[in-house]
Amino acid sequence: MRTTPETVAELIARQWGDHRPGLKSEDTVLSRHRTAQEAAARAALLVDLLPPGAEPHLGVLLDNTPEFPFWLGAAALAGAAVAGINPTRRGPELARDILHTDCRILVTERAHLPLLRGLDLPGVRILVTGTEEYEALLAPYAAAKPGEATVAPPGPGSRLLLYFTSGSTGAPKAAICTQGRLAAAGDSLARQFAVTPQDVHYICMPLFHGNAVIADWLPALVAGAPVALRRRFSATAFLDDVRAFGATYFTYVGRAVQYLLATEPRPDDREHTLRLGFGTEAGAVDAARFAERFGVRLVEGYGATEGGASVVRTPDTPPGALGRAGAGDDLAVIDPGTGAECPPAVLDDRGRLANGDEAIGELVNRGRSLFEGYWRNPDAEAARTRDGWYWTGDLFFRDPAGFLYFAGRTDDRLRVDSENLAAAVIENILARWSDAAAVAVYAVPDEVAGDQVMAALALREGAVFDPEAFAAFLAAQPDLGTKMSPRYVRIVGAMPTTATNKVHRVGLRKAGFRAAPDPVWWSPPGADGYRPLDPQALAELLAAYEAQGRAELLDR
């Protein structure tokens, strides 16, 4: 019987002497013993390279190559911490991430060296994998064993990850994740999904983000299953990878599932070994389409890298819901303005949320939180844990049976004609439109007061936007409230996303309906259907904002 691990270091050390497959990447297959050996060598090198008195932190600026899990394992063995560095960051922002987390060592690869040119990184030593210098540095440590070299003996409270969480405003915050919490999370998921050594976990989401490490790498490590690495996510290569690696499980975030569904269907779409996908933000419609096309069940979960709250799916979870509160959590949907708990959702006979104003609020954990803080960011930490509660920053509503439904981020709330709406609810409805490959809904300022609904649509290959067909589709949706229909529709060639496949909403909101060169359609007040927002209409619209003194809101 598998024992519950106390640290990730223990999980790395368990691989020693195990010659079953441990890591697959392109044409390479390494045993579990070899992966532990590589981690031990890097742990010993790390201990020798860290300056005396320095924080035991290293930055990892890599794609999903074998070096990434090697260094995760090395940090665990050495009692150090990894800061996952996002390669989509640039210039001063990238330098800020490295310096903010007190990284004295940065591990990168040749492909990312151009990102570092001209950056002022005082006291940071850069190691470039795949070079002769790098191999020469590692060579003396080839015989190292797990546990021989440590900065400090690793324990459950040892920091292991400093993973940046994205935000719509301000610099990203580095969430602290300890070895004990991470080991427990991996063990919990391995048990929940009955992971065995015969499984193969396909890691196609970026390892600098918590999803790939916590929900993919760690459960495999706990169960003794190999992992298979894809350098960067590719929708067109997904099935080929799954077959080549014999993958049985993968994780996803953001719009990855929509990209997979947008690929050209093939007769052999169901001929593969995959049994399960686990992630967030696929939506009920796309999850059903994925299961129908590929024969693979998607399990939607909720739980931030910070660990402050979790929602667990149970067999009786209704469609559209994420589940109930995880063990030990006292979750409530709270009105941020009053601090009072929101009443249960009321759905009318057409499935529409009839009391969104009252029912939608911020998900709060009033019980024991696993949140371990942000690195050197006391203000953000205090905001997250105000009044002794953990505030997730996410909008939810709860049905009378206690099931929780995701309604978007707190900055995704729209207020149209004095009615509060949630972007995620509208997105789930628009995702039903057969011509849509990806959908994003967000607020743009109304010219008089409040907001209006705007939608960005990426169309399926070969589709052309038909305004009459789109309007007819909206009219046929029984759960689309009268104020939910988008006033503005932007047709994008591809949905703008972050490096973790989440929609880049900040850019969409900032562009608003002035989204040249993308075509924008609109439904003027009192008019039926959609028409192009041509230069004359745009000029008249902007003049209305000027007349109301609200033009500056369009630039926020």
Side-chain angles (χ1 to χ4, degrees), residues 305-348:
T305 301
E306 292 99 318
S310 64
V311 178
V312 177
R313 189 174 188 86
T314 54
D316 58 341
T317 300
L322 291 182
R324 291 189 171 101
D329 289 344
D330 177 14
L331 300 187
V333 179
I334 300 294
D335 181 333
T338 66
E341 187 166 0
C342 297
V346 174
L347 303 176
D348 65 18

Side-chain angles (χ1 to χ4, degrees), residues 200-406:
V200 176
H201 281 211
Y202 178 52
I203 301 179
C204 55
M205 296 293 100
L207 279 162
F208 68 77
H209 186 258
N211 167 275
V213 171
I214 297 171
D216 215 341
W217 181 65
L218 280 168
L221 200 60
V222 169
V227 297
L229 302 180
R230 151 66 55 174
R231 177 179 276 271
R232 294 186 182 182
F233 173 73
S234 168
T236 56
F238 180 84
L239 270 186
D240 291 336
D241 274 357
V242 165
R243 295 188 182 104
F245 292 131
T248 60
Y249 170 100
F250 78 106
T251 62
Y252 59 88
V253 291
R255 294 300 182 258
V257 168
Q258 288 186 342
Y259 297 146
L260 292 172
L261 289 170
T263 59
E264 189 69 25
R266 296 174 3 187
D268 59 354
D269 275 344
R270 284 177 168 247
E271 296 175 12
H272 53 73
T273 51
L274 207 58
R275 68 179 178 89
L276 181 69
F278 175 60
T280 61
E281 300 182 37
V285 173
D286 283 340
R289 288 174 177 167
F290 196 87
E292 180 180 358
R293 176 173 166 183
F294 298 107
V296 177
R297 181 170 66 102
L298 298 185
V299 177
E300 287 277 293
Y302 176 84
T305 301
E306 292 99 318
S310 64
V311 178
V312 177
R313 189 174 188 86
T314 54
D316 58 341
T317 300
L322 291 182
R324 291 189 171 101
D329 289 344
D330 177 14
L331 300 187
V333 179
I334 300 294
D335 181 333
T338 66
E341 187 166 0
C342 297
V346 174
L347 303 176
D348 65 18
D349 55 3
R350 289 179 289 180
R352 295 189 301 189
L353 181 62
N355 62 337
D357 263 4
E358 300 174 332
I360 296 174
E362 186 169 349
L363 187 69
V364 172
N365 189 355
R366 302 177 299 189
R368 176 184 59 86
S369 169
L370 298 178
F371 177 55
E372 297 172 305
Y374 295 119
W375 182 253
R376 300 198 190 288
N377 199 333
D379 291 341
E381 198 168 305
R384 188 65 78 191
T385 57
R386 64 187 184 274
D387 303 322
W389 294 349
Y390 178 85
W391 296 73
T392 66
D394 292 324
L395 298 174
F396 273 75
F397 58 90
R398 188 198 299 263
D399 69 18
F403 290 102
L404 292 159
Y405 296 71
F406 180 67

